[in-house]
Amino acid sequence: MTWLGAQRIDLESCASTNDEAARFARAGALHGTIVIAERQEAGRGRAGRAWASPAGGLYFSAVMRPPLPLAEVPPLTLAIGIAVCDAARAFGAAAQLKWPNDVLVADKKLAGVLVETQSQSGRLDSVIVGIGVNLEIVPPEVAHRATALHVDRETFIAELIARVEVWTDRYIACGLEMIVPAWQERMAPGLSARATIDGAAIVGELAGIDGDGALLLRDPRGIVHRVRSGDVEVIQAPAGL
Ligand code: BT5
């Protein structure tokens, strides 16, 4: 039985499918309702960044109501990343993951994930899982760092829905136990990051993620540090360069 996409809303354009999905969620939309737009006027990334959303790309948001405490929602991003990566691989792309939420092909960004929560008095009400994938067109404003997948849109949506459903269910059922090794298997090699740890800036090589989804960074002395998303910036050059 499939739950993701049992209700589907298609829009020609909107500001952000995450905002539309949040609005539907507040109006009582069921777990698995999806909103898909052909373009977005104000597509969002994390921390107020913009997501270039020209016509032709895929702008997809799902309303989810997982039985999870609020604190266990953020690592869902990792599970969704695996799903998007595998959907792209199903069409022959050599997709890999960049912590915490990017899907890369040959070091260029194909897709991004934006998970947002709505809560009431400290209890999770709904999760909005937003996924942006460049299909056919590389947006000109990010041309130097982005790539696109050339695939029939509806065929890709069907593949994406199937994979997102499976990996979401796995995360809900088993937590990070299955997610961490699957995520690490797909991690892009040779990335490094700048982080601030106890007030000191370090540049190190990405060494994977730990059991609760935090990034592991190996500094030039070989010491591995755990870092959280607010304190780290992943850079796409090998450490030391
Ligand atoms: C993300 O943010 O990667 C999350 C993107 C989520 C977009 C989806 S589309 C459906 C739903 N509705 C929304 O409004 N959002 C979600 P972040 O890690 O912050 O990356 C943002 C950065 O990626 C930007 O600062 C650019 O450098 C780059 N970027 C922007 N648009 C891009 C694109 N179309 N392709 C590749 N890179 C892009």
Side-chain angles (χ1 to χ4, degrees):
M1 165 65 192
T2 55
W3 53 267
L4 186 59
Q7 315 265 345
R8 170 172 166 170
I9 296 136
D10 280 279
L11 304 170
E12 204 179 296
S13 174
C14 62
S16 157
T17 54
N18 264 33
D19 294 344
E20 294 297 323
R23 208 163 52 76
F24 285 115
R26 286 193 294 274
L30 297 175
H31 179 60
T33 300
I34 60 175
V35 180
I36 296 178
E38 284 177 26
R39 61 190 157 83
Q40 296 182 121
E41 305 298 341
R44 291 187 281 113
R46 294 171 305 140
R49 290 191 280 266
W51 184 256
S53 309
L58 176 61
Y59 313 107
F60 173 108
S61 296
V63 176
M64 296 190 189
R65 300 186 185 279
L68 295 172
L70 261 178
E72 286 177 23
V73 174
L76 178 62
T77 297
L78 302 173
I80 303 296
I82 296 169
V84 180
C85 181
D86 285 3
R89 287 183 176 188
F91 297 97
Q96 293 177 316
L97 294 170
K98 176 182 151 195
W99 190 88
N101 67 327
D102 293 356
V103 179
L104 308 179
V105 175
D107 286 342
K108 294 194 166 176
K109 188 156 166 175
L110 172 70
V113 175
L114 178 66
V115 172
E116 297 179 311
T117 55
Q118 307 199 86
S119 58
Q120 265 181 8
S121 349
R123 283 196 61 226
L124 180 64
D125 178 47
S126 61
V127 181
I128 308 300
V129 173
I131 302 170
V133 187
N134 297 322
L135 296 181
E136 304 298 344
I137 299 170
V138 177
E141 55 272 57
V142 288
H144 54 295
R145 56 203 308 200
T147 187
L149 192 63
H150 301 281
V151 55
D152 173 71
R153 186 183 163 81
E154 282 305 319
T155 312
F156 184 76
I157 290 171
E159 190 71 36
L160 183 69
I161 287 174
R163 308 261 176 182
V164 168
E165 183 173 290
V166 164
W167 283 101
T168 300
D169 284 343
R170 284 183 182 156
Y171 178 62
I172 292 172
C174 308
L176 278 168
E177 202 177 310
M178 287 180 75
I179 304 300
V180 168
W183 197 93
Q184 296 200 128
E185 262 169 46
R186 294 161 178 77
M187 183 175 84
L191 297 180
S192 59
R194 252 181 236 116
T196 310
I197 295 164
D198 298 332
I202 63 162
V203 174
E205 189 192 328
L206 299 197
I209 52 177
D210 78 356
D212 65 6
L215 183 68
L216 298 173
L217 192 60
R218 187 179 298 109
D219 74 16
R221 287 174 303 159
I223 299 168
V224 176
H225 305 265
R226 257 172 65 89
V227 283
R228 299 217 150 262
S229 61
D231 313 320
V232 62
E233 181 205 355
V234 177
I235 45 184
Q236 286 175 236
L241 292 184

